[in-house]
Amino acid sequence: MKTNFFKIILSAILLGFTLSSIAQKSGKIEGGINVNKFPEVSFVFHSYDYKLLNNSDFIELKEQNHALKFNVQRKDTVYADKPQTTIILWEDMSINGVSQYNFTKEVLIQFLKKSDVNRGDKFQIFTFNRRENTPSVLTSITDGYVSDKVELANSILKYKRSLKSYSKYPNRSDLYSALRESLDSLSHENGVKSIILFTAGHPMESSGADSDSQVLLKAQSLHIPIYIFQYYRNSGIATSTEGFANSTYGEFNSYKDEETAAKKLIDLYPQIKERTYGNDYIITYISNSEKGDEAKVVTLTVAGEEYKIDLYIPSFSIIEWLKENPIITTLIIIVILILIVVACIVIVKIKRKIKDQQRNLKEIQEQNIKDRQEAENKHKQLIDNINKSKEEEEYKRLQRLMSNKGMYPRLIYQLNGKSYTYEVVKPIVNIGREVGNDIVFQNPRVSRQHAQIVFAITHFEVVDKGSTNKVVVNGSFVTRAILKDGDIIGLGDVYITYRL
């Protein structure tokens, strides 16, 4: 008996040494430092421990090795909306006898009957003893993860205990391998995760390849607590088992009575979310650093452990400076407003002056155009008068030549069945359908300005004025032709005889 006692004590010492050597820090600083209210700054310290820390646990805060006063306030966290996934491990060794089997079975049935399991929570139940030529040490007695408590209870009731016995090390199981495989499975799940282990409480000496330190480190890195329920019979409390559970922020319990153990599990289950998550604490202090400096190292000491984070100080900002100096800011705003008003007045005056100049320029341009038009009209009138005077002089000259030479030919034509004679007594005779011509023919085939009889000093010529039906002289189309006595001039349906 003494030998067993010393073995247990030795195992506890060795495990304690191992846990202290691999244990991770019990917290971390999250999210960086908030500098929105600089020089007042704040950050969140997250403790993995479900137990509340006292202000005295927050020992010291330093900025660049200078100790500063700081304030600690616990941050409320909502857990209700987080899904919860639990793996129940049932160590089923034949050497433990039917009593440990019945103990575990009864505790789980009572838990499922009396506990308040939130909607969305799910469980998977595995049994295990030793791996023998199989890829997994676990045997699932549920069809994957199950949320229905009735289905879970039926799976437990249907399970028959293992009768497999081992001659060598009969009380050893692959417990650490079972834990490691369960942690692997939970690592893929979201939300709150935990493991509830039922064991007979024999010393946790693995017969498999997984060691206690490896599995503990994995549980700590995944932040998955392990809650151990030991069936207390002849083995006594396994100190190493208790240390292992506590190092994961889980809990160790040892019972012989099913009802007491079930009540403990029922009370414990609603706390798992909070115990798994831990607690957040808001640390606030006034920084000694000036704006524009480089990052400073901040060191927080909690329960003997140091946590470091960089303080990135905001650079100097004119906007922040203005906020911190409201009187100067107000004066600057007033000056800016006055300048804006003055600028607006000046701009309005400049625009008005430009508009007046543009209007005056437009009037000058319009007057220049008007004067230029009048000058052009006068010049044109002068040219027209000169040309008209020349035309009149030429006209009179031709008339004198016609008189001197006695050249007054006659144009003989038929109109409405009557014969008419037109004596040419001026240098130009206009013929056409339009009233105003010297000879007018109301005939649709005669153009309005059809032809002219023109004196050319020694003779007369007929000229086509661009008529539609052309001018014909003795059967031939002409645009201009010298006339001889007896020539027949055709204008559409009208014929004229030229006589000297």
Side-chain angles (χ1 to χ4, degrees):
M1 189 72 180
K2 288 183 179 180
T3 303
N4 290 336
F5 174 78
F6 284 118
K7 283 184 177 180
I8 292 172
I9 296 299
L10 181 60
S11 298
I13 293 172
L14 290 174
L15 179 61
F17 176 77
T18 303
L19 296 182
S20 64
S21 64
I22 67 170
Q24 296 180 331
K25 288 188 175 183
S26 59
K28 64 179 179 179
I29 295 176
E30 295 185 329
I33 298 183
N34 184 350
V35 295
N36 290 335
K37 297 181 180 179
F38 189 87
E40 179 184 283
V41 297
S42 63
F43 58 90
V44 175
F45 174 75
H46 176 75
S47 172
Y48 297 126
D49 195 343
Y50 67 92
K51 297 177 184 177
L52 292 179
L53 299 175
N54 298 318
N55 284 351
S56 59
D57 294 318
F58 293 86
I59 300 171
E60 187 178 48
L61 182 139
K62 291 182 179 180
E63 184 182 275
Q64 292 295 96
N65 292 324
H66 296 292
L68 299 175
K69 292 182 179 180
F70 61 98
N71 180 58
V72 180
Q73 183 180 1
R74 183 172 177 267
K75 180 181 177 183
D76 292 333
T77 307
V78 179
Y79 308 98
D81 60 343
K82 297 180 182 294
Q84 188 164 333
T85 304
T86 303
I87 287 181
I88 297 175
L89 292 179
W90 182 348
E91 184 183 52
D92 186 20
M93 300 290 293
S94 61
I95 194 172
N96 296 337
V98 70
S99 57
Q100 191 259 346
Y101 166 82
N102 290 334
F103 170 83
T104 304
K105 187 175 184 179
E106 183 62 28
V107 171
L108 291 176
I109 293 297
Q110 288 189 37
F111 165 71
L112 293 173
K113 284 182 178 180
K114 299 178 182 180
S115 64
D116 293 327
V117 176
N118 296 323
R119 183 178 180 182
D121 289 359
K122 55 186 180 180
F123 300 82
Q124 188 165 12
I125 304 175
F126 293 103
T127 62
F128 69 93
N129 44 52
R130 289 191 189 178
R131 178 189 292 131
E132 288 187 323
N133 301 320
T134 57
S136 173
V137 69
L138 300 177
T139 300
S140 179
I141 67 171
T142 58
D143 186 12
Y145 287 101
V146 178
S147 297
D148 184 75
K149 292 200 295 183
V150 175
E151 183 179 347
L152 288 166
N154 289 336
S155 298
I156 294 169
L157 293 172
K158 290 179 182 178
Y159 176 69
K160 303 300 181 182
R161 78 184 187 93
S162 173
L163 299 177
K164 179 70 174 177
S165 62
Y166 303 92
S167 58
K168 187 176 182 180
Y169 306 116
N171 61 346
R172 290 189 184 181
S173 69
D174 281 344
L175 187 146
Y176 290 114
S177 295
L179 285 172
R180 192 261 306 157
E181 290 183 27
S182 300
L183 290 170
D184 289 341
S185 175
L186 286 173
S187 66
H188 303 293
E189 299 296 321
N190 296 321
V192 177
K193 297 167 279 191
S194 62
I195 295 175
I196 299 175
L197 168 65
F198 286 88
T199 175
H202 294 291
M204 294 177 65
E205 298 177 13
S206 175
S207 62
D210 295 289
S211 68
D212 54 354
S213 59
Q214 291 173 331
V215 175
L216 177 59
L217 186 59
K218 189 174 187 68
Q220 289 175 332
S221 65
L222 294 173
H223 304 300
I224 297 177
I226 298 173
Y227 299 91
I228 299 178
F229 282 79
Q230 174 191 287
Y231 174 59
Y232 183 87
R233 190 179 182 187
N234 298 322
S235 59
I237 296 177
T239 309
S240 59
T241 308
E242 182 176 7
F244 186 93
N246 293 337
S247 296
T248 67
Y249 294 110
E251 187 174 295
F252 174 84
N253 296 279
S254 182
Y255 299 99
K256 184 176 181 180
D257 177 60
E258 293 94 337
E259 185 174 348
T260 305
K263 186 177 184 305
K264 175 62 179 178
L265 181 57
I266 293 168
D267 293 339
L268 175 66
Y269 182 76
Q271 305 173 22
I272 288 179
K273 286 184 179 180
E274 184 171 356
R275 292 171 65 101
T276 301
Y277 184 79
N279 294 281
D280 288 331
Y281 301 87
I282 301 175
I283 312 298
T284 306
Y285 73 97
I286 302 299
S287 173
N288 282 340
S289 301
E290 297 293 333
K291 289 185 177 180
D293 291 348
E294 296 180 353
K296 306 295 183 182
V297 177
V298 177
T299 305
L300 176 68
T301 303
V302 183
E305 293 185 4
E306 287 189 351
Y307 302 87
K308 292 185 179 182
I309 185 172
D310 288 333
L311 166 61
Y312 292 94
I313 303 165
S315 58
F316 176 80
S317 168
I318 187 65
I319 295 176
E320 294 298 327
W321 183 86
L322 291 173
K323 288 180 180 179
E324 295 169 0
N325 298 274
I327 296 177
I328 297 177
T329 302
T330 303
L331 292 175
I332 292 174
I333 291 173
I334 292 172
V335 171
I336 291 174
L337 290 175
I338 292 173
L339 292 175
I340 291 173
V341 171
V342 172
C344 290
I345 293 172
V346 172
I347 290 171
V348 169
K349 287 185 177 181
I350 292 174
K351 285 187 174 181
R352 188 178 296 168
K353 185 175 181 180
I354 292 173
K355 189 174 182 180
D356 292 340
Q357 290 176 346
Q358 289 176 340
R359 184 175 62 253
N360 294 336
L361 180 61
K362 185 177 180 181
E363 290 176 354
I364 292 172
Q365 290 175 341
E366 289 177 350
Q367 186 62 43
N368 289 339
I369 292 172
K370 185 177 181 181
D371 293 343
R372 185 165 58 250
Q373 189 67 40
E374 289 179 356
E376 290 177 355
N377 290 338
K378 288 180 181 179
H379 179 72
K380 183 178 180 182
Q381 183 65 37
L382 179 61
I383 298 299
D384 290 344
N385 291 338
I386 292 172
N387 291 335
K388 186 176 181 181
S389 177
K390 288 181 179 180
E391 288 175 358
E392 288 177 354
E393 289 180 0
E394 179 66 16
Y395 189 82
K396 290 178 180 179
R397 187 180 73 82
L398 292 174
Q399 276 188 325
R400 287 195 299 270
L401 286 173
M402 286 177 64
S403 176
N404 292 337
K405 292 183 178 185
M407 296 180 69
Y408 296 107
R410 290 165 294 138
L411 302 175
I412 302 170
Y413 55 90
Q414 298 288 327
L415 187 62
N416 297 326
K418 294 182 181 181
S419 179
Y420 293 91
T421 299
Y422 180 86
E423 186 176 6
V424 179
V425 294
K426 55 183 183 178
I428 299 174
V429 175
N430 293 306
I431 306 170
R433 190 176 74 248
E434 187 176 70
V435 176
N437 286 296
D438 296 304
I439 301 174
V440 179
F441 293 106
Q442 295 296 331
N443 188 302
R445 292 181 60 80
V446 176
S447 298
R448 289 179 299 171
Q449 301 287 338
H450 202 117
Q452 285 182 333
I453 304 300
V454 180
F455 176 60
I457 301 177
T458 59
H459 57 273
F460 281 87
E461 296 177 355
V462 61
V463 179
D464 188 349
K465 297 294 290 179
S467 62
T468 302
N469 293 312
K470 309 301 180 182
V471 174
V472 178
V473 176
N474 298 327
S476 299
F477 290 106
V478 297
T479 55
R480 190 181 190 98
I482 299 173
L483 294 174
K484 299 182 295 296
D485 183 41
D487 285 344
I488 305 299
I489 303 169
L491 307 176
D493 294 338
V494 176
Y495 296 95
I496 302 172
T497 302
Y498 176 78
R499 288 292 185 183
L500 290 175

